[in-house]
Amino acid sequence: MTWRGLALALLQIALGGLGWWLGQAWGALAAVVLASWLWLAWDMWHARKLLLWLRSTELVQAPAMSGVWGELATRMRRWLRLDAQQVQQSEQRLEDIFSALQASPNGLILLDTTGHIEWCNQTAEQQFGLDAERDLLQSIGNLVRDPAFSAYWTRHDFTQPVLMQGRDSTPGRPMRLSVQLYAYGDGRHLLLSRDITTLEQAEAMRRDFVANVSHEIRTPLTVLLGFVETLQTLPLEEDERKRYLALMAQQAARMQNLVQDLLTLSRLEGSPLPARDDWIPLAPLLGQCEDEATALSEMLTRKSGAPHVLVFPEATVLQSDLAGVPAELHSAFSNLISNAIRYTPAGGNITVQWQPHADGSATFSVQDSGRGIDPEHVGRLTERFYRIDRSRSRETGGTGLGLAIVKHVLQRHGAQLHIASVLGQGSTFSATFPAGRVRGHVK
Ligand code: ADP
């Protein structure tokens, strides 16, 4: 600025000198005034140039100017660019935040101070049947008509969540939501909705499971206590005493089976997936199953005197190895075989097969000529404690957990249980193991 002052003074002196030479004192005065006007005009011209540039939308290139005006233009351009960058960054951040909110598995709705929708994510659209554009600035109280939510909204006490049905909830496909409002900003609210359908289903399953286990244990326990009481209070004959003790042993064995199956299930749920390189030779595994099957069949058909006809593959056919956990595979195979024996009348046929396929996979199957299964039950057989014939299951030492264990074990080994059955003719339970878990085929 001092340079500008000096330049103005020099101009005035130079023109003043010229004016003095031309017209003495009046000439000098007129020249100094002219110099000042010239200076002012030059400044105004630059100011106008700067103003025109600032008014234009194209602020990238500052106008070419020298001196203080040039510096002013450059600095302004720098500030403007910085400002534009900051606005862009803020917009980008806002966009990122909205994308994150959009990606949330929970429904989110931003409400203004009067409860009108300012923004909602896709999950909320789907859970409440909203349309983010159509329903913008609509009152949430008018759009969500679930009675539980309406009461919650009217009460205006948002300290606890409210449970309600999702928009597309049907008896066949229920959708349960937990919805809560949180105050933020200047009287605004954030509505957060969580789909708790699976959580509630899991909770119901847990309750059912505990109830089932308690029931299964209570029955033999009641019988046992009854016998203990009888033995304690009544003077019994030796024969009778022995019979009671045998019945007690039977009930205790039933409880033991149940506890064993429960432990197996919990172990299956908690343990890592079976390795793909722990190879088990199939022949001894099925040999052990065959011995157990023969013993079980003899035990169950002792009275009738007609054991089942059991057909197992020849040892020469069983040259395959299976990758997995021996105890788990034994439990799955023996469960299927024992079921076939237990649900097939004495003298019936049970055929166990191992069929290698050209693609390297192989199928294990157990076929029986038993009572068969009504199609309405087939889909539910692997549910825990699901039985068609409860008394038959109990009589033969069943726990109702066998097929649940089988399904779990097979899944862990990459196979799926397949059930084919014709009522009155028999059933075939099979599972195909993937090529990666089978080796040593005779193709
Ligand atoms: P359980 O211990 O009662 O046998 P499972 O889970 O092994 O329990 O089987 C569930 C139900 O499936 C059984 O109670 C029975 O009604 C039916 N089931 C299983 N295997 C057979 C079969 N081979 N033939 C007919 N019904 C079967």
Side-chain angles (χ1 to χ4, degrees):
M1 288 307 271
T2 38
W3 284 111
R4 268 174 67 79
L6 208 63
L8 175 62
L10 279 174
L11 182 70
Q12 284 170 334
I13 290 167
L15 284 189
L18 191 67
W20 179 270
W21 182 63
L22 289 174
Q24 297 299 305
W26 283 109
L29 186 67
V32 167
V33 170
L34 181 69
S36 307
W37 275 106
L38 276 176
W39 187 265
L40 194 65
W42 191 76
D43 263 1
M44 281 173 73
W45 178 67
H46 277 89
R48 190 180 145 70
K49 214 169 149 186
L50 197 65
L51 200 65
L52 283 177
W53 172 66
L54 283 174
R55 277 183 193 156
S56 76
T57 47
E58 191 53 63
L59 294 171
V60 185
Q61 193 66 44
M65 286 185 287
S66 57
V68 74
W69 288 103
E71 189 183 334
L72 215 62
T74 312
R75 284 184 184 279
M76 275 184 178
R77 189 180 65 88
R78 211 175 292 153
W79 283 335
L80 286 170
R81 203 173 51 194
L82 215 68
D83 194 45
Q85 267 173 5
Q86 273 168 359
V87 169
Q88 205 183 3
Q89 274 171 4
S90 304
E91 278 173 359
Q92 184 60 44
R93 211 168 303 149
L94 203 65
E95 219 168 278
D96 289 348
I97 292 171
F98 277 116
S99 307
L101 296 181
Q102 200 59 273
S104 160
N106 295 324
L108 294 165
I109 304 178
L110 302 184
L111 301 171
D112 67 10
T113 48
T114 50
H116 292 90
I117 298 176
E118 285 188 321
W119 182 87
C120 72
N121 69 356
Q122 279 167 4
T123 315
E125 282 186 278
Q126 183 227 331
Q127 288 176 342
F128 295 100
L130 300 175
D131 182 317
E133 279 174 28
R134 186 197 59 205
D135 297 327
L136 205 70
L137 299 180
Q138 297 287 324
S139 166
I140 189 78
N142 292 338
L143 291 175
V144 181
R145 311 297 298 185
D146 184 278
F149 181 79
S150 297
Y152 181 71
W153 181 246
T154 328
R155 220 172 32 243
H156 223 81
D157 173 9
F158 305 137
T159 45
Q160 295 293 323
V162 61
L163 302 184
M164 58 175 276
Q165 303 286 347
R167 173 65 181 242
D168 295 330
S169 184
T170 58
R173 283 191 64 213
M175 186 206 268
R176 296 275 297 154
L177 300 177
S178 164
V179 178
Q180 188 162 9
L181 277 126
Y182 298 92
Y184 78 98
D186 201 6
R188 288 156 193 267
H189 282 95
L190 163 74
L191 184 149
L192 184 80
S193 57
R194 266 185 326 129
D195 186 342
I196 51 161
T197 318
T198 20
L199 207 73
E200 282 199 346
Q201 278 168 351
E203 179 57 22
M205 270 170 71
R206 192 192 61 80
R207 270 199 307 269
D208 284 355
F209 185 69
V210 172
N212 273 322
V213 171
S214 315
H215 176 77
E216 293 292 329
I217 288 182
R218 199 179 51 195
T219 317
L221 212 56
T222 314
V223 180
L224 255 176
L225 280 174
F227 284 133
V228 170
E229 227 175 84
T230 313
L231 287 171
Q232 279 172 336
T233 52
L234 294 180
L236 298 172
E237 295 289 318
E238 185 56 20
D239 275 5
E240 231 170 351
R241 208 177 65 86
K242 273 190 185 156
R243 198 169 62 86
Y244 277 19
L245 284 173
L247 287 169
M248 285 169 75
Q250 203 181 11
Q251 294 304 323
R254 200 174 129 192
M255 281 200 290
Q256 195 183 29
N257 284 348
L258 182 69
V259 172
Q260 244 161 21
D261 278 0
L262 286 171
L263 283 175
T264 307
L265 265 178
S266 94
R267 224 174 289 130
L268 285 175
E269 275 166 359
S271 52
L273 280 182
R276 291 182 149 267
D277 52 0
D278 279 350
W279 293 102
I280 315 156
L282 208 60
L285 181 65
L286 285 189
Q288 190 187 350
C289 290
E290 187 171 0
D291 294 344
E292 289 163 359
T294 312
L296 179 68
S297 170
E298 272 169 16
M299 193 186 87
L300 292 178
T301 58
R302 201 174 291 146
K303 283 184 197 143
S304 69
H308 299 96
V309 181
L310 301 175
V311 180
F312 273 76
E314 293 289 320
T316 47
V317 178
L318 298 175
Q319 288 178 1
S320 305
D321 294 336
L322 199 50
V325 181
E328 289 184 18
L329 289 168
H330 170 259
S331 155
F333 291 173
S334 66
N335 255 306
L336 290 178
I337 298 167
S338 82
N339 275 356
I341 295 170
R342 288 164 47 229
Y343 298 107
T344 301
N349 299 315
I350 284 125
T351 309
V352 178
Q353 281 186 303
W354 176 256
Q355 286 171 314
H357 304 296
D359 63 357
S361 61
T363 303
F364 171 81
S365 65
V366 182
Q367 188 183 11
D368 66 56
S369 62
R371 54 183 63 190
I373 303 159
D374 195 320
E376 67 167 299
H377 296 294
V378 170
R380 300 196 59 190
L381 290 187
T382 53
E383 285 175 23
R384 293 167 190 200
F385 298 110
Y386 189 85
R387 291 139 158 159
I388 306 166
D389 185 344
R390 198 164 278 272
S391 58
R392 174 81 194 154
S393 163
R394 290 226 175 98
E395 269 166 35
T396 56
T399 59
L401 294 173
L403 288 181
I405 293 175
V406 172
K407 180 182 164 187
H408 223 96
V409 169
L410 293 178
Q411 266 175 1
R412 284 163 54 77
H413 287 81
Q416 270 202 343
L417 182 64
H418 185 253
I419 306 171
S421 187
V422 180
L423 203 57
Q425 290 187 23
S427 322
T428 304
F429 288 73
S430 59
T432 301
F433 291 90
R437 286 201 175 266
V438 183
R439 75 173 184 194
H441 276 356
V442 182
K443 288 178 191 160

